[in-house]
Every structure is written in C-alpha cells, then in structure tokens.
Amino acid sequence: MQRPNIVFIISHDTGRYLGTYGRNVETPEIDELANEGIQFNNYFCSQPQCSPSRGSIMTGRYGHNHGMMGLAHMGHSIYEQLETIPSELNKIGYRTSLIGLYHESVNDEFDPYKLGYQHYQQVPGNWAAEVTDHFVDFLKEENKRNDDSPFYVSLGFEETHRPFDDYEPVDLDEVVLPDYLPDTEEVRKDFAQFYRSGMDMDDAVGRIKRAIKEQGFDDNTVIIFTTDHGIAFPRAKGTLYDSGLETAFLMKFPEGMYEQGYQSDALLCNVDLMPTIFDLVDCKVPEGVDGVSFLPLIEGEVEQTRDHFFAEMTWHDKYHPMRGVRTQKYKYIRNFEDGPKVYMPYDLHTSLTGEVVRDEYYVPNVDEELYDLEVDPAELNNIASDEAYREVLADLRAKVDQWMEASDDPLLKGRVPGYEAEEWESVDDDYESRKK
C-alpha cells in the first residue's frame, strides 16, 4: 500500500470556535472539510497552553513526560532523546517539512531540525495567508519531483492568537458569548475581533484544500486540522476547564480510504494523535507514549479507545500548577499552590475581557474542584464538597495520585523550576494580594 501524504494544519488558540462546532463564526471552508471528513467532537488537549500542548502532539506524551512543562521561550524544552512525529516519519521514507509557526524547543534550542523536520520554511508573522502562499509553492515543487515518496508537512498559523487589534470586528450583535463570561460591550468587542481572526484563517484553509486538488494530490493526501488549546479568553486558555482543553480536530481522507462524512463523540486526547498517525502509515509507535491510537475507531472496529485522560498545567507566564482528570461525565482538578480562583495569562489579564472579570476571578482558589459535566457543562458549580459525590471525588483523586506517582511527576518533589514573565513586573494591580 502506498503511504498517504499528510497535510497537518494547526492554528493558535482557536478551541472549537468554528461554525461546524455550533459557534456562529462564519467558517465555511473548515465546515466543508468537516462535512466531507470526520469531525471529532470530544477531542481535547492535555495542557491548555501552547508549547506543552504542541509538545504532546509531537511526542504522544503528557507534558511532564516529554519535559516541556512551560513555554519554550521561557526555558522549557522537550527531552532530546524523545521521538517526534517528523523524526519517526523520516525513518520510513517520508519527507518532512514545516511551514510557519512552531513553539517547541529541544535543549532550549528553537530549531525545527532538532524537532525532526528535514525542511523548514520561515514565514514572518506566520499569518495564515502567507503560510498558505508558501504551501502552494511547496506543492508545485513536489509536482516537479521524480520521486513518489510521501510527504508530511505541518502548516503553523498565528491565527487566532492575540492581539486581535488589527482585525476589523464583526457586528457586535452577531457575537454569541460563552456561558462562563459576562455579556458586556467590552467582552463583545473582544470577541468580535476574535471572530474575524478565525474568518481569515478559514480563508486560508479553503486555499489549502483547493491547492491540494489543483496540484493533483487529493487522491492520496490526508488533511488534518486542529489547534493547540482553548480560546485566548479568561476561564479558557490557562485553565483545566473544558473551555481551556477543548480543541477542534478534523480529518479528511482520500476518497474510498475510510468511511467519512460523520461526527464522532468518542473521548480523545491530543496525546493520541502521534500513535494514530503512526498506525495509519504503518510506522512503529515508540515505547512509553501516553497516547492510544484511535485508528480502530475510524475503521469502525471499536466505539471508544479511552474512558478518561489526564490534564496538567505547571508554568505559563506565572507558576500555577494543576493536575486533573476528565471522564465522559466528570472533571476533577487539583490546585497545588495558593493563587487566584481563575489564572489568566498576561495577555488575557490585560485584555478587554480580562479587565471586566478580574474582580470575580482574582479571589482565592480552593484545593480541589469537581464538576458534573452532564448537568454543569460550563463547570460553574464546584461539587467537591457535596456528599452525594464523595465516592466520585475519591475515585478521581486516586486516579490523579496514581498517574502522578507512576509517571514520576516532578511536582511530587516540590516546586518545579521556572521563572515569571517580565511583563508582570509592570502590572500595578492586586493579583498577588488576592492569593489565598
């Protein structure tokens, strides 16, 4: 069997804010990709932040197992000895390329070749339109090659990362806000620009799809679209709530390869992507990965491949260590340090929405949180102290304890080394004084 080409599209901070996931953002190109392929409705990241989440995609491991427990530009890196998607695909004859954004490092080196890529195209700004320009050129060059070996290309978009200042907002009346944020003019303005960022990204996805077809690669190319974590708004990015962990995930296969045109509600995690890709192309899955291939799900052999996944956060631009576990029905979160009820990274703290919610979010946190996702999908009612859920709490607490111990989580030994972003030094508010 000829191995398929793989086009891997990854956006920044998009969550599931796309039309195909029921949001009222106009994303017709991505919606079409979902309709023609497979849309996964319960696909989550294991870390609600850029570098650690991308590290999990690359390695199939949770953050403290691949080493990147914080942002790459703040000294956190993937362990050098670990296998990555491109490094292993190289071994079975794939030509691996990266165009645009990446946010992983190895041994403190920002070097795509250290990550395993054979080719890298730098794109100033990493804007989706410009990344797509280079991708079109890439396909044209591929057509000139007298070589039928497959390619794997990662396309990294800056959208929908903050700031949104350069985007013309949609009409404020068109915005539909999530349940966990207040409906104010400031929040609507923030979302109106975020919407436009997603719409620009959608245009690029449309061009990518057309280029693949026009250059004759559509009969042997798998297209994957995903993002790194939840949206860059308070109570999403930087938290272990579903709003921080939810990620879009779409796969479109060449016609006739697998049944398509449906949605799957199976619970999945982004650590599962590496083994799934490797299973798909008959590449050996490295020992020690945390992920589980969901190719049997795609092939219709099983209805689910996991019943829970773990989530974590240690460092972002502040130290805010948390560990948790999510099942289909429940979410358990443990906070390991005193801090605010809801941590906001600096870009969220200073955003229009962040200014609105500070008084509500900057109150002391609690040690444990438990949510019944069926009755409280927005995770607004912490039931950790509810006697009716005592056994659930004990079970999920034990799961996290066992996971941390079995994986030798560095957090068990005390504070994980790192440093706070310099930007916080200039913030004149009472963030620190509101800690427990």
Side-chain angles (χ1 to χ4, degrees), residues 228-430:
D228 45 9
H229 51 73
I231 59 175
F233 280 84
R235 214 176 187 277
K237 177 181 178 179
T239 78
L240 298 191
Y241 303 122
D242 275 7
S243 48
L245 300 176
E246 66 177 16
T247 53
F249 189 80
L250 313 171
M251 294 186 81
K252 182 179 182 298
F253 296 95
E255 187 174 348
M257 190 171 182
Y258 294 110
E259 180 184 352
Q260 301 186 90
Y262 68 91
Q263 298 183 12
S264 170
D265 291 328
L267 184 66
L268 300 172
C269 181
N270 68 354
V271 295
D272 299 331
L273 182 55
M274 175 205 243
T276 301
I277 289 176
F278 287 3
D279 206 0
L280 175 69
V281 302
D282 194 25
C283 177
K284 182 180 178 182
V285 177
E287 294 183 5
V289 302
D290 297 308
V292 179
S293 170
F294 53 87
L295 187 63
L297 186 75
I298 294 169
E299 293 176 334
E301 297 177 359
V302 299
E303 293 185 358
Q304 65 178 21
T305 52
R306 63 164 64 244
D307 60 11
H308 69 278
F309 70 89
F310 295 103
E312 65 180 285
M313 168 129 161
T314 306
W315 276 97
H316 191 72
D317 51 18
K318 274 184 177 289
Y319 188 57
H320 195 80
M322 299 178 285
R323 298 292 184 266
V325 62
R326 190 199 193 277
T327 68
Q328 284 281 18
K329 183 172 171 56
Y330 296 107
K331 167 78 64 60
Y332 169 79
I333 300 170
R334 187 181 307 166
N335 296 294
F336 284 82
E337 293 264 333
D338 293 347
K341 178 182 177 182
V342 178
Y343 163 71
M344 291 192 288
Y346 180 79
D347 61 340
L348 307 190
H349 171 87
T350 55
S351 69
L352 287 174
T353 305
E355 292 178 6
V356 171
V357 299
R358 285 181 200 170
D359 285 344
E360 179 184 355
Y361 290 175
Y362 286 173
V363 296
N365 62 1
V366 294
D367 294 334
E368 293 183 304
E369 301 174 55
L370 179 67
Y371 301 96
D372 185 332
L373 301 172
E374 290 184 354
V375 299
D376 180 25
E379 298 163 282
L380 298 175
N381 180 28
N382 181 11
I383 54 174
S385 60
D386 189 330
E387 275 297 305
Y389 292 90
R390 180 167 53 87
E391 291 184 5
V392 174
L393 179 67
D395 176 60
L396 298 184
R397 179 193 293 138
K399 273 186 168 59
V400 170
D401 285 340
Q402 292 162 9
W403 169 58
M404 293 179 69
E405 291 169 5
S407 59
D408 196 23
D409 190 333
L411 194 55
L412 293 173
K413 300 178 178 67
R415 184 182 176 92
V416 176
Y419 64 92
E420 189 173 295
E422 294 178 357
E423 290 89 341
W424 283 106
E425 296 177 3
S426 63
V427 175
D428 182 22
D429 65 21
D430 58 353

Side-chain angles (χ1 to χ4, degrees), residues 26 84 102 127 134 136 161 220 230 264 270 303 322 346:
E26 294 183 9
T84 65
Y102 69 101
W127 303 113
H134 285 285
V136 173
H161 196 279
N220 192 38
S264 170
N270 68 354
E303 293 185 358
M322 299 178 285
Y346 180 79

Side-chain angles (χ1 to χ4, degrees), residues 18 20 27-34 201-202 205 209 225 250:
L18 305 166
T20 190
T27 54
E29 300 291 354
I30 295 174
D31 298 353
E32 182 184 64
L33 182 68
M201 175 183 68
D202 184 69
V205 172
K209 293 187 302 180
F225 176 86
L250 313 171

Side-chain angles (χ1 to χ4, degrees), residues 73 77 84 93 95 101 103 111 115 137 152 200 219 243 249 263 272 277 330 342 389 416:
H73 65 278
S77 293
T84 65
R95 289 173 285 104
L101 179 69
H103 209 269
D111 185 345
L115 294 171
D137 293 340
Y152 171 89
D200 283 4
D219 63 346
S243 48
F249 189 80
Q263 298 183 12
D272 299 331
I277 289 176
Y330 296 107
V342 178
Y389 292 90
V416 176

